[in-house]
Amino acid sequence: MKAQKAVVMCLLLAGVVCGQEEKPLVLVAQSIPYARIVVADMPDHMGISEQVWRLDRTRTVRHAAEILQDYIQRSTGVRVPIVNASAVSAGRPLILVGRSSLTDFVEKERSKLAPEGYLVRREGRRIAIVGEVAGADALSEYRGADRGTLFGVYAFLEQTLGIRWYFPHELGIVVPKRPNLIVSALKLTEAPAFPMRTGAVYDDPDEGEAGLSLPVVRHGNTTGFHANHTCYHWYKFAESHPQVFAIGQDGKPMINADGPGGNKWNHLCYSEPDTLALEMEQIRSFHEQGVQYTELSLLPNDRYIRCVPKDIENIYHCNCERCKAQWREDPPDSKLSEVIFGYMARLAGEIDEEYPGKRLATLGYCGFLRPPRSVEVPDNLDVMLCTVMGNMKLVSPGHWQETTGVIEEWYTALGEDASRLFVFEYLVYPSSDAPMLYPHKLQEWVRFMRGKTSGGFSNGSRPRAGTARHRFALVNGWFWHKLLWNPDADVDALLAGWYRDLFGPAREPMAELFNSAISAWEGAPWGNSVNPGAVSHVHDRFMYEHVYSAELVSKMEALLKQARDAAAGDEEALRRVNYFGEAFEEFFGKAHEFQAAVGPAPSLTIPLLRESPVIDGEGGEAAWEGASAVDLRERRLGGDPVLATRIRLGYRDQVLYVAATCATGGDPVQAESRAHDDEAILGDDCIIVDLAFASEKVLLLPMFYRIAVNAMGAFADGTQIVPLVYEGLHHTRWSPYWTPVDLQAAVSSTEDGWQAEVAIPLSTIPEYTPSSSFRLQVRRQVPKPRLQLAWSPELVESYEVDLQRFGRIALAAE
């Protein structure tokens, strides 16, 4: 007994118990289960929202009691029995899970709980853990369901035993071992600040049991709202109703009668009256005959009917004259807003007439992101707004202004009614292996959303995205859900708990490691620019020069080593350090690859050839003697090439001569003979020569001259114009207007590849003078598997060009 009293006193001093108003109540001590876990004889159904809006009615509150029983046993080693309320023994301590005949002392307070709320109270020997039960005004899916007790069980376990769920993996669960469970007064009350909280963190079937994400994120959705792309089923009308399908740029309908097909198929014409009529027929068939016309999660419920265009409508949309007449040019992210929301307004009107009280759920997405200007948004239309620029880029002032501005526009358009506006967030954008952690900015974002939206869905990262991307995303996803429950939570205290509970003796170096990453991402010199296009992008040049410098990466590597050394005597802490350490190491590797490629672009003086080579594709005559030879490397970072490609360069009589020897590894050549200046040549196995000349004309668009020769000898010559510039990078557009009449090209085949020769008359380039220097890049491009090689590493993505990374060329004097 003395030992037990000592244990109680230690627990009190340690702050494990909650308050001092009542004497300690012993629930478990010295391997004895003094308490009983009690549920009603007929327990309520569980109110867990699984993924979207459908309730799992296979579970009752007894499931919450079993979770409580399981974790008490994991912590104390003692299994506390579960009994029904009618079988309770007098005098025992009772943990009452869910409402029953024994929870009368909290019923008045429980009945006032907000949706999904819970309370935990003690009175004498009774501890009640009870939740909000959905009333008659809730969705039929939820009526009578207990939507809060399970969350109360999690809170009880956290408060009394120090149990934590940080990510859905057995390593993410922290269960301190305690010989006793002794509590004093308990007074916990909480409900989520946002009713819709789905996505962001997912179960990994390869790393843990299903369902671990629920205690980590405590997701829910009591609104009934859910929206995603819903028109994939329309292909079945390809033959009977071809008029409802979108017209492509080629003037032909975008129809695939065999099935959903690729993204460009089965987009609809939203100006065609038959489209709306056919949509309503499908909705009626569901309500009148129970016909499931789309996937289960997107079917109507008793509050919402759902309609969203197919994905990437901004790229593949109808080009008929009726739709084009509604296009708007400014801003470019909302070109289709009048078309799409005009259709949604008409559909909402039909729904209101036939199904009074029903609402229409839709998205604001790529190409129709902002509210329409010429269409009045109906009162029964609710919108989920896609933050397609990437939530992790909210650290950039420009992206913050852009994204919050769109939210404000929709909030106004929807009558300043937060219950009508939701967010479809993208924790997967921007895509990078670098840690993009931003808990403080994330809190600012969630606080901004409070009062303007009802929460939403976050498209998080799954394990298949890669070790670094998935594991860093777990941190962001955990914070996102924590803040949707309580936007005013202490972020730094949450971080401190994460480090302490997961990493134990390694908490200090791991805290410094993670905090270094947080400070780097949140404090980078972003500026106010906003990337053009639908999806936010952070180029590796910015990432590994301005966010994660070589010095910072080196410091972080040292911190990871310190953490591993500190955790060496604690197996579980070391496993957790290594779990995130593997993600950091993947990031370190990418950073080193980039930083090894950084440096000045190469320079070369091209020698004067003794005579002009004959352009026959053979490349073997004596005229090529003395030419400079360079080997092409992996284009982006200069890594070892998969296929060997050697380039020779020479100069004579104002003509640049280029010869290429291209290995194919014994595979067939991937090229087809095409007409001159066919841009499709750039998609073949081809050699590309780019020449850039400085211009003093300030208003001249940046451009360079391009010659591409494929393995069949077809060639294209023209210019690449670079009208879009951001972060020093250029998005290019092909123009075939430069056509040098004296350009020559020829190819020949070898046993394991092909050879090419090109003669480029520099005198046909307006900016060229015999004494001028210029920039040169030589590339090779192979379609499958996609391979890009280059003379000078460009440190850019495949669709970008950095002219400063071209090699600097001088020509030997003639």
Side-chain angles (χ1 to χ4, degrees):
M1 185 58 109
K2 290 182 179 179
Q4 184 172 311
K5 287 182 179 180
V7 169
V8 172
M9 183 57 67
C10 289
L11 289 172
L12 286 167
L13 293 174
V16 174
V17 296
C18 310
Q20 305 293 325
E21 293 85 355
E22 297 193 61
K23 293 181 180 180
L25 180 64
V26 179
L27 304 177
V28 173
Q30 307 302 313
S31 301
I32 300 172
Y34 291 100
R36 295 293 182 264
I37 298 171
V38 182
V39 296
D41 291 7
M42 297 290 290
D44 291 316
H45 284 284
M46 289 279 289
I48 303 171
S49 176
E50 295 289 353
Q51 296 183 344
V52 286
W53 52 268
R54 292 185 173 273
L55 175 67
D56 181 0
R57 286 195 174 274
T58 64
R59 292 175 176 172
T60 69
V61 170
R62 186 176 183 89
H63 174 69
E66 291 167 351
I67 288 177
L68 177 63
Q69 180 187 57
D70 176 40
Y71 278 95
I72 290 175
Q73 184 172 9
R74 292 193 198 192
S75 180
T76 67
V78 176
R79 188 172 182 83
V80 177
I82 298 173
V83 299
N84 291 340
S86 62
V88 167
S89 300
R92 279 191 177 276
L94 304 177
I95 309 174
L96 309 170
V97 179
R99 62 178 181 173
S100 70
S101 58
L102 299 175
T103 60
D104 55 298
F105 68 101
V106 295
E107 182 57 27
K108 183 177 180 180
E109 191 177 2
R110 188 210 61 77
S111 66
K112 297 177 182 179
L113 285 171
E116 295 183 282
Y118 65 83
L119 62 84
V120 181
R121 297 287 186 273
R122 176 190 167 189
E123 183 181 85
R125 291 179 172 272
R126 291 185 293 176
I127 297 171
I129 306 174
V130 294
E132 175 259 357
V133 176
D137 60 340
L139 287 171
S140 60
E141 285 286 326
Y142 289 111
R143 287 171 201 160
D146 186 324
R147 300 188 288 192
T149 291
L150 181 59
F151 299 136
V153 165
Y154 296 146
F156 175 83
L157 290 167
E158 288 173 328
Q159 192 77 13
T160 61
L161 290 172
I163 292 171
R164 299 289 187 270
W165 295 267
Y166 286 118
F167 54 94
H169 184 285
E170 52 97 6
L171 288 175
I173 306 171
V174 177
V175 183
K177 303 301 181 184
R178 302 180 184 276
N180 311 291
L181 174 54
I182 305 171
V183 301
S184 189
L186 282 169
K187 191 172 184 179
L188 307 173
T189 305
E190 190 178 20
F194 292 86
M196 186 177 184
R197 314 169 313 282
T198 59
V201 176
Y202 308 108
D203 290 320
D204 181 356
D206 296 328
E207 293 191 345
E209 61 184 286
L212 279 184
S213 63
L214 182 57
V216 172
V217 298
R218 295 164 212 196
H219 58 67
N221 182 13
T222 60
T223 70
F225 186 99
H226 177 68
N228 209 327
H229 308 289
T230 58
C231 76
Y232 287 85
H233 60 282
W234 283 77
Y235 68 91
K236 60 192 175 188
F237 298 111
E239 295 183 4
S240 60
H241 296 79
Q243 72 277 18
V244 305
F245 291 93
I247 302 299
Q249 292 183 347
D250 58 2
K252 299 178 181 179
M254 291 190 281
I255 305 174
N256 178 6
D258 297 325
N263 274 322
K264 68 179 181 178
W265 301 114
N266 304 325
H267 285 258
L268 301 178
C269 174
Y270 291 100
S271 299
E272 168 57 50
D274 288 347
T275 305
L276 180 60
L278 195 55
E279 183 105 53
M280 286 303 299
E281 283 184 22
Q282 296 178 89
I283 293 169
R284 290 188 198 102
S285 68
F286 172 79
H287 285 92
E288 297 170 9
Q289 304 169 41
V291 176
Q292 181 177 322
Y293 65 92
T294 186
E295 64 174 275
L296 184 65
S297 67
L298 298 174
L299 288 174
N301 63 9
D302 57 0
R303 183 174 296 167
Y304 283 105
I305 291 170
R306 313 165 205 283
C307 179
V308 181
K310 196 173 182 182
D311 201 358
I312 59 175
E313 186 81 11
N314 59 317
I315 299 175
Y316 301 110
H317 49 263
C318 185
N319 287 262
C320 78
E321 293 305 316
R322 289 173 301 187
C323 287
K324 288 169 69 174
Q326 300 176 70
W327 292 357
R328 75 188 204 201
E329 296 303 320
D330 180 43
D333 61 18
S334 301
K335 171 183 177 180
L336 305 172
S337 285
E338 315 306 310
V339 179
I340 300 301
F341 291 111
Y343 178 83
M344 296 302 167
R346 295 191 295 275
L347 179 58
E350 294 278 349
I351 290 169
D352 189 51
E353 185 174 334
E354 292 199 33
Y355 305 100
K358 287 264 191 180
R359 309 189 64 77
L360 177 61
T362 192
L363 292 182
Y365 192 56
C366 299
F368 50 101
L369 188 63
R370 297 170 188 270
R373 294 170 179 163
S374 61
V375 176
E376 184 176 350
V377 180
D379 291 339
N380 66 328
L381 177 62
D382 298 346
V383 177
M384 176 175 273
L385 180 62
C386 292
T387 60
V388 288
M389 297 300 284
N391 279 65
M392 287 183 288
K393 196 65 186 295
L394 288 170
V395 291
S396 157
H399 283 74
W400 174 269
Q401 183 177 356
E402 179 85 1
T403 304
T404 56
V406 176
I407 292 278
E408 293 280 14
E409 286 184 44
W410 270 110
Y411 179 61
T412 300
L414 296 173
E416 299 187 349
D417 184 350
S419 70
R420 299 178 60 192
L421 184 59
F422 305 81
V423 289
F424 191 120
E425 300 204 346
Y426 286 87
L427 287 178
V428 295
Y429 296 141
S431 298
S432 176
D433 294 308
M436 297 175 287
L437 307 175
Y438 62 125
H440 305 96
K441 195 66 177 183
L442 187 57
Q443 181 171 59
E444 187 179 349
W445 165 246
V446 172
R447 285 174 171 173
F448 167 81
M449 289 198 303
R450 180 169 52 185
K452 293 183 175 68
T453 79
S454 290
F457 166 81
S458 182
N459 192 349
S461 180
R462 297 181 185 273
R464 63 175 177 268
T467 299
R469 298 185 188 197
H470 171 59
R471 294 181 187 177
F472 291 141
L474 293 174
V475 184
N476 287 331
W478 181 77
F479 267 105
W480 188 73
H481 277 282
K482 280 287 185 185
L483 293 167
L484 288 180
W485 265 83
N486 178 13
D488 298 318
D490 187 331
V491 167
D492 292 315
L494 290 173
L495 281 170
W498 177 284
Y499 305 143
R500 178 192 64 243
D501 297 335
L502 287 177
F503 305 121
R507 60 186 176 276
E508 290 186 6
M510 287 301 284
E512 190 173 353
L513 175 61
F514 273 97
N515 287 340
S516 295
I518 292 168
S519 297
W521 185 250
E522 292 185 333
W526 294 107
N528 292 301
S529 63
V530 178
N531 291 349
V535 178
S536 180
H537 173 66
V538 178
H539 188 263
D540 279 356
R541 188 172 68 181
F542 184 86
M543 184 72 79
Y544 296 120
E545 288 184 353
H546 299 289
V547 182
Y548 291 107
S549 65
E551 293 77 14
L552 179 56
V553 170
S554 178
K555 173 188 172 184
M556 294 171 74
E557 287 181 299
L559 288 169
L560 179 58
K561 183 180 185 306
Q562 290 176 28
R564 283 177 167 146
D565 291 344
D570 186 324
E571 181 180 352
E572 191 167 42
L574 182 60
R575 289 178 63 203
R576 289 171 175 147
V577 168
N578 285 332
Y579 183 82
F580 287 100
E582 290 168 2
F584 276 105
E585 285 175 330
E586 192 171 300
F587 151 62
F588 295 152
K590 294 294 176 68
H592 290 317
E593 286 179 354
F594 176 88
Q595 288 155 357
V598 171
S603 60
L604 178 68
T605 298
I606 296 182
L608 182 67
L609 300 178
R610 290 185 301 174
E611 58 182 285
S612 299
V614 175
I615 304 302
D616 57 9
E618 299 296 332
E621 65 270 22
W624 285 99
E625 290 182 7
S628 296
V630 295
D631 293 319
L632 302 191
R633 312 283 292 175
E634 186 272 325
R635 175 187 176 230
R636 186 162 170 267
L637 296 175
D640 293 336
V642 175
L643 297 174
T645 306
R646 171 157 287 195
I647 304 297
R648 287 181 292 167
L649 299 163
Y651 169 71
R652 187 175 184 82
D653 298 330
Q654 299 188 60
V655 177
L656 175 66
Y657 292 95
V658 182
T661 304
C662 307
T664 60
D667 295 329
V669 168
Q670 299 180 55
E672 299 176 4
S673 179
R674 294 187 173 96
H676 174 63
D677 275 355
D678 186 346
E679 187 178 359
I681 290 170
L682 298 170
D684 283 339
D685 187 350
C686 64
I687 291 293
I688 300 171
V689 181
D690 293 333
L691 303 103
F693 292 79
S695 173
E696 296 179 358
K697 298 178 181 179
V698 176
L699 298 179
L700 185 67
L701 289 172
M703 58 171 279
F704 55 93
Y705 296 86
R706 169 165 285 184
I707 303 97
V709 181
N710 74 2
M712 300 301 292
F715 66 92
D717 47 72
T719 60
Q720 290 285 114
I721 301 174
V722 285
L724 293 179
V725 182
Y726 65 92
E727 294 181 355
L729 305 176
H730 309 275
H731 284 235
T732 66
R733 186 179 73 235
W734 168 261
S735 171
Y737 88 85
W738 178 61
T739 305
V741 294
D742 295 327
L743 187 144
Q744 301 176 62
V747 302
S748 64
S749 298
T750 64
E751 290 184 1
D752 62 351
W754 59 284
Q755 294 184 155
E757 291 179 321
V758 186
I760 305 170
L762 298 176
S763 58
T764 65
I765 299 174
E767 293 90 345
Y768 169 76
T769 62
S771 61
S772 67
S773 63
F774 56 93
R775 290 189 177 275
L776 171 73
Q777 178 65 294
V778 184
R779 300 185 181 90
R780 181 184 176 192
Q781 187 160 285
V782 181
K784 292 182 181 180
R786 185 171 178 78
L787 172 67
Q788 293 191 29
L789 306 177
W791 171 39
S792 172
E794 290 197 25
L795 316 179
V796 296
E797 300 295 342
S798 60
Y799 53 85
E800 295 172 331
V801 170
D802 182 355
L803 297 179
Q804 298 304 307
R805 294 300 304 173
F806 285 22
R808 187 172 292 280
I809 295 299
L811 301 174
E814 298 216 32

